[in-house]
Amino acid sequence: MELEAQASDRMDTEECTPTPLQRELPIIRRLDEAVVNRIAAGEVIQRPVSAVKELVENSIDAGSTSITVVVKDGGLKLIQVSDDGHGIRYEDLPILCERHTTSKLSKYEDLQSIKSMGFRGEALASMTYVGHVTVTTITKDQLHGYRATYKDGVMGCEPKACAAVKGTQIMIENLFYNMAARKKTLQNSADDYSKIVDLICRFAIHHTSVSFSCRKHGAARADVQSVSKSSRLDAIRSVYGVSVAQNLLKIEVSDDPSSSSFKMDGFISNSNYIAKKIAMVLFINDRLVECGALKRAIEIVYAATLPKASKPFIYMSIKLPPEHVDVNVHPTKREVTLLNQEIIIEKIQSAMESKLRNSNESRTFREQKVDPLDNSVSTSKAASTPPSSFGTKPQKVPVHKMVRTDSQDPAGRLDAYMQSTQSSQMQRNSCLASMRSSIKERRNSRETADLTSIQELVREIDSSCHTELLDLVGHCTYLGMADDVFALLQHNTHLYLANVVNLSKELMYQQVLRRFAHFSAIQLSVPAPLWELIMLALKEDELEPEGGEQENLREKIAEMNTKVIKQKTEMLEEYFGIHIDQDGNLSRLPIVLDQYTPDMDRVPELLLCLGNDVNWDDEKACFQTIAGAIANFYAFHPPLLPNPSGESLQFYKRASSGDPEEGSTSHSADDIPEEQLEQDLFSEAERAWSQREWSIQHVLFPSMRLFLKPPTSMATDGTFVKVASLEKLYKIFERC
């Protein structure tokens, strides 16, 4: 009975005890309006580029013919958009930045026929909740303009009269000042500015009736500058460059002309255009949008149609009836929903396949002359020369202005008159086609570096470029090597000696900066310990005889440099493609110039420079010195073995025990019999020097013509030496 009573009491106690759910039921509260607006603002204005897009679209809606964008610190400190549109009425300024105030529509049904870029009335209001907004505007009939400031959707004070030019200027300062987490994630100003530049470029090639300008605050020159009233192709040429514009195909797709429900026109890249990333500019009813399904369909077309799955450049403008497009599906209006989207994509895909197939069939290749010294091929000069399509005779060049050789004809080069083995000639010819193709492919592979310090270094290269030397390098003809360091070049009727080491070092330095953080890699077959490599470099530099103290000093220096490099392994791999594993072994090196492998005997010198000469404290100086060290490693230095010709041939002569004086006797190359040479060493040296000269002719000079911007210092430091003028020599001989 006592047990039953206890059990009964326990049950009564459990029934009276409230459960956790009964204790704490959540209470639904109405959020404060300021909280709601700030949440909505973070959704609409995700990054500085979102604000720029909204402001530019408002300027286009205002009928502007000129839009200027100024940005500071990637848009976090300042975004200023000025236009020459119709302006804002004085009476509308008090409610301008309130949420859901707009002049674009009045009822929901208007969305079905909306043609303007904006319609919600949220963008300006959102900006006032995450930044400080100032609006300056003037309309056509006003004598002066008005300036008003806004915060949290409310105008700060009465608009003040001020001087103004036609249109509206909206300035946003201290964006995300009250959103610490968002601001912290957007510290890379270069990345945000590049997104803004890309956005303006896209607007510029579509809205050809509007001139666009975009620059950094305080910069004298604009990074984007387009001219109104230009053709679409001219706009693409001015914004994206000649290399893009000259490789585009015009494409048009439409439904039945009588229905006019769907029409697409644009430009797509042909089979000659090569890039690492797809560049797709899509406008639907003049609205800049993205369409993942269409982008995937286009990538499939290019992957199946073109070799190497080339990444294309695409510009498309699609026109549909407004009622077939739902524009209200994304907070930033970045995406839209189309009626019959699958059918539209299928039609575009089919038209692109047909266009690219025809382009591939009619692809043209540049004709090259056959080496007259190669006996394996014999052709008739008359048969290989195409007739003139216009029937006109070529102009006769005066004798004293004739250029003796051209870059396509190897008969005029110095090595054409030197003997070479048949096997080496065949080996070189087999590599030449792939070499030229690789170099041309790299021409359009430049990627914009995000870091400001790298951009500054690249701008220094551009600003210090010597115009005359740029023309010389771009249009010179390689004749051959005059000695171990200088090559003989011809430019028009002038002969020059050019320092190959200096030129290659500068080319590699510029390439390292342009390929920054986008390197391919050379994989070492066996990883090499850093410490041992640095010790090798120190021993090569040591001129005094070895001793215990010297050895200890070298070991300490090697340990110190190894420690420094190991601390920077993450940065070296990410930015420069130099991989060092956890054990301190070097396993990968960057590829700076395609189809060219540097002299691996100089790896120890590279690592010693990285540990000893790099300024790790200053970002710009750090990248500059690392680029210089890699450039010196990649430069076309003479091989370490002496040149196996002329007087250096004595180095490869076997020592004779019978005649101690024989080693000191001077001989020419023809005087030393083959049996007296160290054949293995001699063959290795011959191979190294022959490969270097081949690389100079077929790798270095073609790459220089495409990429090198010679600095002004090269005009006075002896890199180029003018040795003769063929025109003057002819006149002298004519007088004699």
Side-chain angles (χ1 to χ4, degrees), residues 303-316:
T305 308
L306 296 183
K308 298 183 181 179
S310 305
K311 299 299 182 183
F313 175 91
I314 307 292
Y315 162 76
M316 284 186 183

PDB file of all heavy atoms in Angstrom, residues 303-316:
ATOM      1  N   ALA A 303      32.941  23.544 -76.727  1.00  0.00           N
ATOM      2  CA  ALA A 303      33.724  22.363 -76.386  1.00  0.00           C
ATOM      3  C   ALA A 303      33.650  21.315 -77.493  1.00  0.00           C
ATOM      4  O   ALA A 303      34.621  20.601 -77.755  1.00  0.00           O
ATOM      5  CB  ALA A 303      33.238  21.768 -75.071  1.00  0.00           C
ATOM      6  N   ALA A 304      32.504  21.239 -78.160  1.00  0.00           N
ATOM      7  CA  ALA A 304      32.329  20.234 -79.209  1.00  0.00           C
ATOM      8  C   ALA A 304      32.782  20.711 -80.573  1.00  0.00           C
ATOM      9  O   ALA A 304      33.088  19.900 -81.450  1.00  0.00           O
ATOM     10  CB  ALA A 304      30.853  19.833 -79.278  1.00  0.00           C
ATOM     11  N   THR A 305      32.835  22.011 -80.789  1.00  0.00           N
ATOM     12  CA  THR A 305      33.101  22.554 -82.121  1.00  0.00           C
ATOM     13  C   THR A 305      34.551  22.964 -82.316  1.00  0.00           C
ATOM     14  O   THR A 305      35.126  22.754 -83.380  1.00  0.00           O
ATOM     15  CB  THR A 305      32.191  23.771 -82.391  1.00  0.00           C
ATOM     16  OG1 THR A 305      30.841  23.407 -82.124  1.00  0.00           O
ATOM     17  CG2 THR A 305      32.320  24.233 -83.824  1.00  0.00           C
ATOM     18  N   LEU A 306      35.160  23.558 -81.291  1.00  0.00           N
ATOM     19  CA  LEU A 306      36.500  24.104 -81.437  1.00  0.00           C
ATOM     20  C   LEU A 306      37.532  23.241 -80.732  1.00  0.00           C
ATOM     21  O   LEU A 306      37.226  22.565 -79.752  1.00  0.00           O
ATOM     22  CB  LEU A 306      36.558  25.521 -80.859  1.00  0.00           C
ATOM     23  CG  LEU A 306      35.692  26.563 -81.568  1.00  0.00           C
ATOM     24  CD1 LEU A 306      35.909  27.914 -80.945  1.00  0.00           C
ATOM     25  CD2 LEU A 306      35.997  26.606 -83.051  1.00  0.00           C
ATOM     26  N   PRO A 307      38.770  23.244 -81.213  1.00  0.00           N
ATOM     27  CA  PRO A 307      39.821  22.466 -80.553  1.00  0.00           C
ATOM     28  C   PRO A 307      40.172  23.050 -79.194  1.00  0.00           C
ATOM     29  O   PRO A 307      40.018  24.238 -78.946  1.00  0.00           O
ATOM     30  CB  PRO A 307      41.002  22.587 -81.526  1.00  0.00           C
ATOM     31  CG  PRO A 307      40.760  23.853 -82.267  1.00  0.00           C
ATOM     32  CD  PRO A 307      39.270  23.977 -82.387  1.00  0.00           C
ATOM     33  N   LYS A 308      40.632  22.164 -78.305  1.00  0.00           N
ATOM     34  CA  LYS A 308      41.129  22.542 -76.980  1.00  0.00           C
ATOM     35  C   LYS A 308      40.070  23.196 -76.108  1.00  0.00           C
ATOM     36  O   LYS A 308      40.381  23.849 -75.135  1.00  0.00           O
ATOM     37  CB  LYS A 308      42.338  23.482 -77.091  1.00  0.00           C
ATOM     38  CG  LYS A 308      43.525  22.868 -77.797  1.00  0.00           C
ATOM     39  CD  LYS A 308      44.689  23.830 -77.796  1.00  0.00           C
ATOM     40  CE  LYS A 308      45.876  23.219 -78.536  1.00  0.00           C
ATOM     41  NZ  LYS A 308      47.026  24.137 -78.577  1.00  0.00           N
ATOM     42  N   ALA A 309      38.787  23.013 -76.473  1.00  0.00           N
ATOM     43  CA  ALA A 309      37.699  23.584 -75.673  1.00  0.00           C
ATOM     44  C   ALA A 309      37.952  25.045 -75.346  1.00  0.00           C
ATOM     45  O   ALA A 309      37.934  25.470 -74.202  1.00  0.00           O
ATOM     46  CB  ALA A 309      37.499  22.770 -74.390  1.00  0.00           C
ATOM     47  N   SER A 310      38.203  25.827 -76.371  1.00  0.00           N
ATOM     48  CA  SER A 310      38.534  27.241 -76.182  1.00  0.00           C
ATOM     49  C   SER A 310      37.404  27.967 -75.471  1.00  0.00           C
ATOM     50  O   SER A 310      36.233  27.712 -75.709  1.00  0.00           O
ATOM     51  CB  SER A 310      38.780  27.897 -77.547  1.00  0.00           C
ATOM     52  OG  SER A 310      39.771  27.204 -78.250  1.00  0.00           O
ATOM     53  N   LYS A 311      37.772  28.875 -74.579  1.00  0.00           N
ATOM     54  CA  LYS A 311      36.789  29.677 -73.861  1.00  0.00           C
ATOM     55  C   LYS A 311      36.453  30.904 -74.711  1.00  0.00           C
ATOM     56  O   LYS A 311      37.347  31.651 -75.104  1.00  0.00           O
ATOM     57  CB  LYS A 311      37.325  30.105 -72.499  1.00  0.00           C
ATOM     58  CG  LYS A 311      37.663  28.930 -71.591  1.00  0.00           C
ATOM     59  CD  LYS A 311      36.428  28.076 -71.307  1.00  0.00           C
ATOM     60  CE  LYS A 311      36.774  26.940 -70.374  1.00  0.00           C
ATOM     61  NZ  LYS A 311      35.628  26.057 -70.124  1.00  0.00           N
ATOM     62  N   PRO A 312      35.187  31.125 -74.997  1.00  0.00           N
ATOM     63  CA  PRO A 312      34.818  32.141 -75.995  1.00  0.00           C
ATOM     64  C   PRO A 312      34.530  33.510 -75.381  1.00  0.00           C
ATOM     65  O   PRO A 312      34.432  33.677 -74.167  1.00  0.00           O
ATOM     66  CB  PRO A 312      33.541  31.563 -76.596  1.00  0.00           C
ATOM     67  CG  PRO A 312      32.913  30.841 -75.436  1.00  0.00           C
ATOM     68  CD  PRO A 312      34.040  30.305 -74.599  1.00  0.00           C
ATOM     69  N   PHE A 313      34.379  34.485 -76.259  1.00  0.00           N
ATOM     70  CA  PHE A 313      33.823  35.803 -75.933  1.00  0.00           C
ATOM     71  C   PHE A 313      32.445  35.869 -76.578  1.00  0.00           C
ATOM     72  O   PHE A 313      32.304  35.624 -77.785  1.00  0.00           O
ATOM     73  CB  PHE A 313      34.711  36.928 -76.462  1.00  0.00           C
ATOM     74  CG  PHE A 313      34.125  38.300 -76.252  1.00  0.00           C
ATOM     75  CD1 PHE A 313      34.415  39.022 -75.107  1.00  0.00           C
ATOM     76  CD2 PHE A 313      33.274  38.864 -77.194  1.00  0.00           C
ATOM     77  CE1 PHE A 313      33.872  40.281 -74.899  1.00  0.00           C
ATOM     78  CE2 PHE A 313      32.729  40.119 -77.003  1.00  0.00           C
ATOM     79  CZ  PHE A 313      33.039  40.830 -75.846  1.00  0.00           C
ATOM     80  N   ILE A 314      31.442  36.198 -75.786  1.00  0.00           N
ATOM     81  CA  ILE A 314      30.065  36.209 -76.268  1.00  0.00           C
ATOM     82  C   ILE A 314      29.410  37.541 -75.903  1.00  0.00           C
ATOM     83  O   ILE A 314      29.472  37.975 -74.748  1.00  0.00           O
ATOM     84  CB  ILE A 314      29.239  35.066 -75.637  1.00  0.00           C
ATOM     85  CG1 ILE A 314      29.928  33.713 -75.839  1.00  0.00           C
ATOM     86  CG2 ILE A 314      27.829  35.050 -76.199  1.00  0.00           C
ATOM     87  CD1 ILE A 314      29.981  33.243 -77.260  1.00  0.00           C
ATOM     88  N   TYR A 315      28.803  38.176 -76.898  1.00  0.00           N
ATOM     89  CA  TYR A 315      27.907  39.304 -76.637  1.00  0.00           C
ATOM     90  C   TYR A 315      26.571  38.985 -77.296  1.00  0.00           C
ATOM     91  O   TYR A 315      26.513  38.674 -78.492  1.00  0.00           O
ATOM     92  CB  TYR A 315      28.450  40.618 -77.189  1.00  0.00           C
ATOM     93  CG  TYR A 315      27.361  41.663 -77.296  1.00  0.00           C
ATOM     94  CD1 TYR A 315      26.892  42.315 -76.158  1.00  0.00           C
ATOM     95  CD2 TYR A 315      26.751  41.945 -78.523  1.00  0.00           C
ATOM     96  CE1 TYR A 315      25.860  43.233 -76.241  1.00  0.00           C
ATOM     97  CE2 TYR A 315      25.723  42.862 -78.616  1.00  0.00           C
ATOM     98  CZ  TYR A 315      25.282  43.505 -77.473  1.00  0.00           C
ATOM     99  OH  TYR A 315      24.245  44.399 -77.551  1.00  0.00           O
ATOM    100  N   MET A 316      25.509  39.035 -76.513  1.00  0.00           N
ATOM    101  CA  MET A 316      24.175  38.754 -77.042  1.00  0.00           C
ATOM    102  C   MET A 316      23.182  39.779 -76.526  1.00  0.00           C
ATOM    103  O   MET A 316      23.208  40.143 -75.346  1.00  0.00           O
ATOM    104  CB  MET A 316      23.703  37.356 -76.618  1.00  0.00           C
ATOM    105  CG  MET A 316      24.345  36.225 -77.372  1.00  0.00           C
ATOM    106  SD  MET A 316      23.598  34.650 -76.920  1.00  0.00           S
ATOM    107  CE  MET A 316      24.614  33.549 -77.904  1.00  0.00           C
TER     108      MET A 316
END
